[in-house]
Amino acid sequence: MNDVDYRRPSSVAEAIRLGAEPGAAYVAGGTNLIDLMKGHVALPTRLVDVNRLPLAAVTTRPEGGIRIGAMVRNSDLANHPIVRERYPLLAQALVAGASPQLRNMATVGGNLLQRTRCHYFYDADIAACNKRSPGSGCAALEGRNRIHAILGASEACVATHPSDMCVALAALRADVVVQGAGGERRIAMARFHRLPGDAPERDTELAPGELITAVELPPSPFAARSHYLKVRDRASYAFALVSVAAALDIRDGSVRDAALALGGVAHKPWRVVAAEEALVGRPLDDATIAAATERALAGARPLRENAFKVELARRAIARALQTAGGVA
Amino acid sequence: MSSDVVDHLGLSRRHFLQAAGAAAAVAPNGVPAQPAMRDALPLGAPSAAKTTTERIVRLRVNGADRELTIEPRVTLLDALREVLALTGTKKGCDRGQCGACTVLVDGRRINACLTLAVMHEGSEITTIEGLGTPDALHPMQAAFLSRDAFQCGYCTPGQICSAVALVGELKAQALSAATFEAAPTGAVPRTIAISDAEIRERMSGNVCRCGAYVNIVAAVRAVADGKA
Amino acid sequence: MITGQGIDRVDGRLKVTGRAPYAAEFAVPGLVHAVLVTSTVASGRIVRMDVSAASAVPGVVAVLTPMNAPRLPQGGKAGVNPPAGRVLSLLQDDLVAYNRQPVAVVVADTLERAAQAARLVRVVYATGAAKLDFAAAKPNAFPPQRANREPTDHARGDVAAAVAQAATNVDVVYTTPVEHHNPMEPHATIAAWDGDKLTLHDATQNVGGVRTTLAKIFGIAPENVTVLDPYVGGGFGCKGSAWSHVALAALAAKAVGRPVKLVLERPQMFGPVGNRPHTEQSLSLAADRAGKLVAVRHATISETSTIEDWVETSSLPARHLYACANVLSTHRIVRLDVATPTFMRAPGEASGNFALESAIDELAARAGVDPLELRLRNDAERDESKGRPYSSKSLRECYRVGAERFGWSRRAATPGARRDGRWRVGHGVATATYPANRSAAEALVRLLPDGSVVVASATHDLGTGTYTVMSQVAADALGVPVARIRFELGDSRLPKAPGAGGSQSAASVAPAVHAACKAMQKKVIELAIADPQSFAYRVDPEQLTVVDGWLRLASALPPSGRPIAAAGAGGEPIATIVARNGGTPLETRAEAAPGAEREQYSMHGFGAVFAEVRVDAALGVVRVPRITAVYAIGTVLNEKLARSQMQGGIVWGMGMALFEESLRDGRDGRIVNANLAEYHVPVNADVAAIDVAFVAESDPYVNPLGVKGIGEIGITGVPAAIANAVYNATGKRIRELPITLDKLL
């Protein structure tokens, strides 16, 4: 790891002022940033420690949603009584990720900003990585790509977003609140993470120096029927091959509202609104699920080693919806 | 063509031809390319550059106040092992992927390798050395010993710190993935029953290559059940 | 008798309190830190190195490269003597033979500075097309000189003729992937010179081998090299050889004139320190109508590097495991631009057993015979490959006990017949086996005036329990309480012992410990009977014994259960005998070595492994809720530790079956999942119930204590038992490890 300057601001304003300078990076839990720094993938010259900023509260909002401070630890968020009661999908997704030790340090903000999963991206000795080094090529495209994307990828980058929390936040239609030199703005979860396109070096829509201060969730009708299914190569402490966040509001035998997002398949949490719409107004039967699945996986393009993910995703969506709907 | 040059330390060196093409064999002996000569650091001449980021970092470790003069980039793990000579906490992977470096910070289990020492000023840090001594074992240490919950012992300090925190987390009704597997859809149980499945999942952040998992679960379960 | 009892590990208190020091943890004054730089190409030559940026990092002391590293005798090859002395990369030439080969060493005053500088070393390579394609290389596969200690090929009878006439045939190919050991403790060396004397704290399974190899590499006398490693954080074979970083640490220490500590980063554990190579194994099994084997053909092709031939001896078990008149077992290797493989827990047996025991299962299915029954029908009563009887073989008893404990009779014979909700349930069985190896070893015993006893041998404890079981053996042989024994190991200056490999440590060292302790007992008695102040003066030595630390008349011993030190009953603590000997500690030494019995008998441990698996019918996820394994491994030295060792081996077998695979990029030969997040060893949640039992077995030939090693037999049989269970659950036969869910969708 390179030597760095270290600052510990006590106010958001001071943090943003420090974070605006070139070479600065915010450090919260550090569970991704320090890993990247050790691998010389991230090369900040200054660390702005935001752990002491007053951003660690979970509060209810007047219209029934919640506001989650960016500094709330993953474990605390999963265990928060309001989240357990009203957003169990989020709790289940959180505890599916990483390990207890990592969840105790990782923050909501940091989890949103964790970098994509790819053997070649994380190995700074590999020259061909458009994300690290724009224009250098993509070693994964023709390489060992069993864990890579089947949706939304481009010839420039086939990495996947590894977060479980983000899949649930996408399904729950979260908004990310950020603050920068230009003031505060909100970025919808659907837009927060980017597709690689031809500029994979940018994982998110965050502008340089902007600090995530909170995540807001609208009121959710899904508390009673939700399920986060994570399919992976071993029983725990592993990234998803495919994951599904599924949540339903069912009344009188018919779906009134649905949330569906996939993890492990794309550069961002994969939420297809049309797939959710295919469920609404219908009974939760095989045909409905198949219709939603087809829309969710439309345009899937496997790589040499990950064709199984398409079928796995198909079956995982069915399983997750059936489990959420109580018919598994 | 061979050309041995003796450098100022009296060591003879072999030099390398700069390759023109890839397929042709390159002779190992030859006149050195000038950049290689200029850039090679003669042995025994340390870098003259100085670091400017060292600062005093105050840590409270196992109840004792310690003052370290270190760079900000020094991880909590390396501060413990290399600076404070508290080598009980182990480095297994240095990237948060094995749990061998698990310590307790303000009672919470974390990986010391993925956090910087400077970030923990003001925290109570407890390492394996602070949990107990060979003559006065912590109950979790005693349980690991009697149930043979270790073999080579390298992951053991991390396992034990993790397990101690786990017992507290269970008492505080913290959730795990196992809780959801046992629960009906969408409804998070109010009380979490201690089970082997819960302990396995909650200890999965501590890899044991010797495979002592069965006995680890038995030891943790005994303490969690109050039967150690 | 304390031997056999499940006492706590005597090193346990140190380990659970974090006080046991591993190689990197010794405080050596003036120490500087070294970090390895490794290659990023599979083959070629180093053309140029730019170390200017690296050298400019504050605190950097030196950057060693092939351009400036001190020259070693014979170009660094003086220590080559596989498998202890490997072909190493010691900065003596510009050759690159594999991706992640060491090419430079950066030394700095702190670890952070050395690591930062290491990343700044720029290397320019001249490369050609790397040979990385196993399939393309196969036509050029050639026979190695030997298959470890055995002949490369073994043939008996006429396999072709037998196959042609057989009632049932199976002809299949199995593959196992590249695997890496990944002990929790990374390799680490602290090297310190004092004149021409070298002291190493080194994470090793072979202090003697490291000493010999380093002495040769540096051209110094072996007596000038001391290797210390009292606690090893796992080895599993990758710490059995002195790898490049050990000599490089010593080279750096010599060059900079200060002690150097070099610890491998986790990705550096995937290349420079060995691995299990990829194997492709062709199995042909043929049986008659009664299900008796008439032909066994096992042909293994494995890969090695271009710098050293290594063989994964997968075809060995087939030579003797089942009775069969016609057997052909062969090994061939191909040379690729990859790192040199090495022993990895049950080398040969683990990979070969997977193939053989899966093929036996396929034969059973084809013949319509229960797979356990088929094994019983073909059980070999003698080693037909060597024409020798087994020293002991209780495999049938293992099958019987295991089947009962597991509930084998409740298995559904038809694949895919059993479901439990979304789970397909299956049961499988396989035979476990590993040779009972033994080498010469020496031990010394020192009886101190306070009555405590030091017993020492240059053996190792990698979690294998050596400290404990040797203390137990010594306690019984000498007649003292086990708490008075202090066993020392992990020091090359101690009496010689073999490297901890081949499951041979207990079998080799325990007899030496036993003999040295018996010699000490004899010495104590001799001193006493010559000592007018002793109660035993002029007593017939046959009448005397040492029990519980007391010299007693055998006839005057209180009934068992009563305290020995009963006043007025005669006898004296052996400490007083030492005290009267001028207070000088008494010392004895003994050597124990295998003899002619090794040519007269075939010596192996055996076991039966039963697995239950559940396969998610839709998602292909495999879970292993229970494994039952019963072993016949001779004398059990410590019941608790032996069970732990078997459980550990079984967990390894689960990893091999379901998770482990090192992914190599076909273009540059680099292992792309060189970390513990993407190379999947089992985690706690993967392991449920493991039921281990031992059958009583007394083997008078294997060594005087009847001990067979148990460090490696645990992994054998498990991958096949799981694969066979998966077949029983799903009807799908997976012949390629690991059995990941994509293979079951």
Side-chain angles (χ1 to χ4, degrees):
Chain A
M1 194 165 21
N2 285 347
D3 205 1
V4 283
D5 177 47
Y6 171 84
R7 303 295 173 93
R8 193 190 295 144
S10 44
S11 73
V12 172
E14 191 191 346
I16 290 170
R17 201 173 51 249
L18 290 165
E21 302 195 12
Y26 299 113
V27 63
T31 54
N32 193 231
L33 180 62
I34 292 173
D35 185 13
L36 292 162
M37 289 173 69
K38 288 187 182 192
H40 284 234
V41 175
L43 299 164
T45 52
R46 164 182 292 165
L47 291 179
V48 181
D49 181 340
V50 293
N51 283 289
R52 317 267 171 126
L53 299 183
L55 298 173
V58 177
T59 51
T60 51
R61 295 168 68 218
E63 87 290 7
I66 60 170
R67 182 178 172 105
I68 305 165
M71 290 307 308
V72 176
R73 308 287 163 177
N74 284 191
S75 54
D76 291 334
L77 185 59
N79 293 321
H80 198 286
I82 301 177
V83 173
R84 283 163 87 138
E85 193 185 311
R86 298 207 217 154
Y87 303 91
L89 179 66
L90 178 58
Q92 188 173 17
L94 281 160
V95 295
S99 69
Q101 293 93 311
L102 293 169
R103 297 195 293 267
N104 278 341
M105 284 294 282
T107 61
V108 170
N111 194 321
L112 279 162
L113 293 173
Q114 72 183 282
R115 304 304 302 275
T116 52
R117 178 187 183 201
C118 168
H119 307 307
Y120 302 93
F121 167 66
Y122 267 88
D123 184 350
D125 285 328
I126 299 290
C129 175
N130 289 318
K131 190 177 286 289
R132 275 188 282 107
S133 179
S136 63
C138 171
L141 202 54
E142 298 298 325
R144 304 310 307 259
N145 51 32
R146 178 174 178 272
I147 61 167
H148 290 71
I150 51 169
L151 289 158
S154 73
E155 298 251 311
C157 181
V158 295
T160 55
H161 200 271
S163 168
D164 297 295
M165 181 196 80
C166 288
V167 180
L169 289 181
L172 293 169
R173 295 127 180 177
D175 282 330
V176 183
V177 183
V178 311
Q179 214 165 316
E184 183 179 279
R185 65 185 181 114
R186 308 165 68 84
I187 309 173
M189 193 64 195
R191 283 202 321 110
F192 184 79
H193 295 103
R194 294 161 42 82
L195 290 176
D198 53 16
E201 66 272 18
R202 295 190 54 216
D203 285 6
T204 73
E205 289 295 344
L206 214 58
E210 278 187 321
L211 174 70
I212 300 172
T213 54
V215 169
E216 290 185 345
L217 293 179
S220 161
F222 301 126
R225 297 185 208 275
S226 66
H227 188 67
Y228 186 74
L229 174 67
K230 184 172 183 179
V231 187
R232 40 185 164 177
D233 277 323
R234 65 180 179 194
S236 189
Y237 206 9
F239 295 112
L241 289 169
V242 169
S243 69
V244 183
L248 300 162
D249 179 16
I250 299 181
R251 315 263 180 103
D252 305 318
S254 139
V255 177
R256 285 201 20 171
D257 198 354
L260 185 65
L262 306 179
V265 295
H267 201 258
K268 58 185 288 182
W270 195 255
R271 178 173 166 239
V272 177
V273 174
E276 294 172 346
E277 288 169 349
L279 297 166
V280 173
R282 312 201 54 79
L284 188 70
D285 56 24
D286 289 350
T288 308
I289 291 174
T293 302
E294 202 188 312
R295 290 186 180 184
L297 300 177
R301 291 180 46 197
L303 303 166
R304 181 158 9 103
E305 296 187 343
N306 71 1
F308 75 95
K309 278 200 184 188
V310 182
E311 182 59 27
L312 179 62
R314 193 170 287 134
R315 298 184 190 188
I317 292 170
R319 173 72 58 82
L321 284 170
Q322 286 158 356
T323 307
V327 298
Chain B
M1 108 189 109
S2 166
S3 161
D4 273 355
V5 173
V6 176
D7 73 359
H8 70 283
L9 293 177
L11 299 171
S12 91
R13 298 198 222 177
R14 290 164 66 212
H15 300 283
F16 303 88
L17 261 184
Q18 188 157 11
V26 177
N29 301 327
V31 175
Q34 283 307 302
M37 280 291 290
R38 246 203 319 272
D39 295 340
L41 179 74
L43 293 173
S47 164
K50 290 278 175 249
T51 184
T52 56
T53 60
E54 276 186 350
R55 55 194 279 158
I56 292 178
V57 175
R58 293 180 179 84
L59 297 179
R60 191 163 167 81
V61 183
N62 297 329
D65 291 314
R66 310 294 301 263
E67 206 172 88
L68 298 77
T69 303
I70 52 174
E71 295 165 338
R73 62 176 162 175
V74 175
T75 62
L76 179 58
L77 178 62
D78 287 325
L80 291 169
R81 285 175 64 79
E82 305 295 333
V83 182
L84 294 177
L86 288 168
T87 56
T89 309
K90 305 304 183 194
K91 179 178 288 189
C93 73
D94 210 28
R95 309 296 279 266
Q97 299 167 352
C98 78
C101 66
T102 304
V103 295
L104 303 173
V105 175
D106 295 326
R108 298 181 149 221
R109 46 177 164 162
I110 69 163
N111 292 335
C113 70
L114 284 187
T115 191
L116 306 176
V118 69
M119 290 165 65
H120 294 281
E121 294 189 294
S123 298
E124 290 279 351
I125 299 164
T126 306
T127 71
I128 188 70
E129 291 96 336
L131 282 184
T133 67
D135 296 320
L137 296 177
H138 184 284
M140 189 62 77
Q141 291 169 325
F144 268 62
L145 180 61
S146 66
R147 281 157 183 81
D148 206 39
F150 58 95
Q151 293 179 29
C152 81
Y154 197 77
C155 77
T156 306
Q159 300 277 357
I160 291 173
C161 285
S162 215
V164 168
L166 179 158
V167 173
E169 289 163 14
L170 271 176
K171 288 203 179 99
Q173 300 297 308
L175 295 173
S176 85
T179 319
F180 284 93
E181 275 197 41
T185 304
V188 179
R190 300 243 165 262
T191 45
I192 296 166
I194 298 174
S195 66
D196 283 357
E198 280 284 5
I199 290 172
R200 286 179 196 130
E201 166 59 27
R202 291 163 191 261
M203 290 300 294
S204 283
N206 291 84
V207 176
C208 172
R209 192 48 161 154
C210 292
Y213 295 129
V214 171
N215 292 352
I216 290 171
V217 171
V220 179
R221 183 81 193 257
V223 174
D225 282 346
K227 294 180 185 139
Chain C
M1 187 148 119
I2 197 89
T3 301
Q5 290 186 40
I7 64 169
D8 292 348
R9 290 181 198 249
V10 302
D11 53 337
R13 276 176 193 263
L14 292 179
K15 284 177 174 171
V16 299
T17 57
R19 266 91 172 161
Y22 297 81
E25 297 168 359
F26 288 88
V28 176
L31 181 155
V32 285
H33 297 260
V35 173
L36 219 53
V37 179
T38 60
S39 73
T40 56
V41 301
S43 111
R45 302 187 100 95
I46 297 168
V47 162
R48 186 160 53 84
M49 274 190 168
D50 178 356
V51 301
S52 53
S55 309
V57 171
V60 167
V61 173
V63 180
L64 273 81
T65 71
M67 287 74 155
N68 64 9
R71 297 294 105 187
L72 292 167
Q74 294 177 44
K77 295 185 163 50
V80 175
N81 180 26
R86 314 305 292 259
V87 175
L88 302 177
S89 309
L90 301 181
L91 312 185
Q92 303 295 297
D93 59 45
D94 60 353
L95 292 166
V96 174
Y98 63 95
N99 203 313
R100 283 205 172 88
Q101 173 189 307
V103 295
V105 182
V106 176
V107 186
D109 58 354
T110 72
L111 180 57
E112 290 80 14
R113 291 165 186 166
Q116 176 189 357
R119 285 242 159 240
L120 296 173
V121 173
R122 298 272 167 269
V123 187
V124 175
Y125 302 96
T127 61
K131 291 186 303 295
L132 296 165
D133 187 338
F134 183 86
K138 264 195 312 182
N140 296 322
F142 64 94
Q145 292 208 319
R146 287 191 75 71
N148 226 349
R149 298 179 226 202
E150 298 294 327
T152 302
D153 292 352
H154 167 81
R156 65 179 187 262
D158 184 340
V159 166
V163 167
Q165 292 161 16
T168 319
N169 264 304
V170 159
D171 196 353
V172 280
V173 177
Y174 295 88
T175 65
T176 63
V178 174
E179 297 167 2
H180 282 85
H181 311 64
N182 282 303
M184 291 313 297
E185 179 203 23
H187 288 69
T189 304
I190 301 178
W193 290 90
D194 179 9
D196 65 349
K197 289 186 168 40
L198 173 63
T199 301
L200 295 168
H201 292 273
D202 183 44
T204 179
Q205 298 169 237
N206 192 351
V207 289
V210 172
R211 182 181 78 149
T212 303
T213 302
L214 272 276
K216 287 187 186 157
I217 288 175
F218 286 94
I220 58 182
E223 304 79 70
N224 284 4
V225 180
T226 301
V227 184
L228 305 166
D229 195 24
Y231 297 96
V232 195
F236 312 112
C238 70
K239 292 175 180 168
S241 305
W243 294 104
S244 303
H245 65 279
V246 184
L248 288 174
L251 193 62
K254 193 183 238 288
V256 305
R258 294 173 67 174
V260 163
K261 174 157 81 173
L262 197 167
V263 181
L264 293 192
E265 297 169 347
R266 183 57 58 172
Q268 294 171 343
M269 307 280 291
F270 289 79
V273 294
N275 55 268
R276 196 192 305 279
H278 166 65
T279 72
E280 188 178 285
Q281 303 178 50
S282 305
L283 263 293
S284 297
L285 300 180
D288 65 17
R289 293 205 181 287
K292 290 197 62 94
L293 284 166
V294 296
V296 172
R297 187 179 67 86
H298 193 157
T300 298
I301 308 178
S302 63
E303 60 185 27
T304 186
S305 67
T306 57
I307 58 177
E308 189 184 318
D309 284 348
W310 176 267
V311 190
E312 175 78 6
T313 56
S314 313
S315 294
L316 289 186
R319 295 180 185 183
H320 79 94
L321 194 54
Y322 296 105
C324 185
N326 309 292
V327 173
L328 179 62
S329 145
T330 64
H331 297 93
R332 301 288 179 268
I333 56 177
V334 297
R335 291 188 183 131
L336 300 177
D337 292 319
V338 298
T340 307
T342 195
F343 309 104
M344 180 164 168
R345 202 166 196 175
E349 268 75 14
S351 47
N353 183 289
F354 160 65
L356 178 61
E357 290 297 299
S358 295
I360 291 278
D361 208 66
E362 295 204 49
L363 184 72
R366 195 160 289 187
V369 177
D370 174 275
L372 183 56
E373 174 60 30
L374 189 80
R375 287 170 171 83
L376 284 163
R377 284 186 201 172
N378 288 287
D379 183 41
E381 301 204 347
R382 37 190 292 117
D383 182 338
E384 294 174 359
S385 71
K386 306 213 166 172
R388 296 176 196 160
Y390 288 109
S391 63
S392 63
K393 184 180 185 185
S394 313
L395 178 55
R396 300 184 79 89
E397 184 68 0
C398 293
Y399 288 140
R400 189 189 69 74
V401 171
E404 200 178 293
R405 286 174 88 103
F406 183 78
W408 180 254
S409 59
R410 294 191 288 281
R411 169 182 177 267
T414 310
R418 188 109 153 238
R419 275 193 84 136
D420 178 9
R422 72 169 73 122
W423 300 101
R424 295 194 190 279
V425 182
H427 299 117
V429 65
T431 307
T433 186
Y434 196 76
N437 294 314
R438 182 186 174 197
S439 300
E442 289 178 21
L444 75 80
V445 179
R446 210 172 275 136
L447 175 56
L448 304 179
D450 65 357
S452 67
V453 184
V454 173
V455 182
S457 180
T459 181
H460 311 79
D461 193 325
L462 346 167
T464 38
T466 310
Y467 277 115
T468 308
V469 299
M470 294 307 152
S471 299
Q472 291 173 269
V473 168
D476 283 338
L478 185 50
V480 304
V482 71
R484 293 236 205 110
I485 306 282
R486 187 173 87 237
F487 191 81
E488 293 182 353
L489 51 75
D491 185 329
S492 61
R493 297 167 298 187
L494 296 175
K496 76 169 198 298
S503 301
Q504 66 178 332
S505 286
S508 305
V509 177
V513 167
H514 180 89
C517 287
K518 281 292 173 216
M520 176 59 77
Q521 205 183 61
K522 187 156 174 273
K523 189 163 194 165
V524 164
I525 289 171
E526 280 168 6
L527 273 177
I529 64 179
D531 181 352
Q533 287 181 24
S534 171
F535 84 101
Y537 184 52
R538 292 191 178 162
V539 171
D540 174 11
E542 300 290 310
Q543 304 299 317
L544 293 162
T545 187
V546 178
V547 178
D548 232 23
W550 281 67
L551 180 65
R552 301 294 303 266
L553 286 171
S555 59
L557 285 174
S560 90
R562 295 284 186 84
I564 276 289
E572 59 187 344
I574 57 175
T576 58
I577 297 164
V578 176
R580 287 201 300 270
N581 186 41
T584 313
L586 300 182
E587 184 171 308
T588 58
R589 280 183 177 242
E591 177 176 345
E597 72 280 356
R598 297 208 69 93
E599 299 305 312
Q600 291 156 5
Y601 297 95
S602 183
M603 302 178 178
H604 300 263
F606 293 93
V609 182
F610 299 81
E612 174 174 304
V613 306
R614 292 178 171 240
V615 182
D616 188 307
L619 304 177
V621 174
V622 180
R623 298 258 181 272
V624 185
R626 63 191 184 104
I627 288 183
T628 293
V630 181
Y631 301 95
I633 40 83
T635 303
V636 176
L637 293 175
N638 180 310
E639 210 265 342
K640 180 156 72 176
L641 270 55
R643 173 162 293 112
S644 296
Q645 184 69 251
M646 303 322 307
Q647 286 169 349
I650 289 168
V651 171
W652 263 68
M654 292 173 62
M656 185 173 184
L658 299 173
F659 311 126
E660 294 183 47
E661 180 174 10
S662 303
L663 301 169
R664 201 156 60 208
D665 190 293
R667 299 161 297 188
D668 65 5
R670 194 169 179 84
I671 305 294
V672 300
N673 62 334
N675 60 75
L676 289 177
E678 303 288 2
Y679 183 92
H680 290 146
V681 303
V683 293
N684 202 316
D686 290 310
V687 177
I690 301 181
D691 169 36
V692 168
F694 299 103
V695 303
E697 183 178 67
S698 176
D699 188 321
Y701 308 106
V702 73
N703 54 62
L705 290 150
V707 169
K708 297 179 181 177
I710 60 173
E712 293 166 279
I713 190 173
I715 185 180
T716 71
V718 176
I722 289 175
N724 296 340
V726 168
Y727 172 74
N728 183 244
T730 65
K732 289 197 175 112
R733 173 63 63 179
I734 308 300
R735 302 194 181 103
E736 185 189 275
L737 292 183
I739 303 171
T740 48
L741 61 84
D742 45 283
K743 295 172 183 166
L744 294 170
L745 280 178

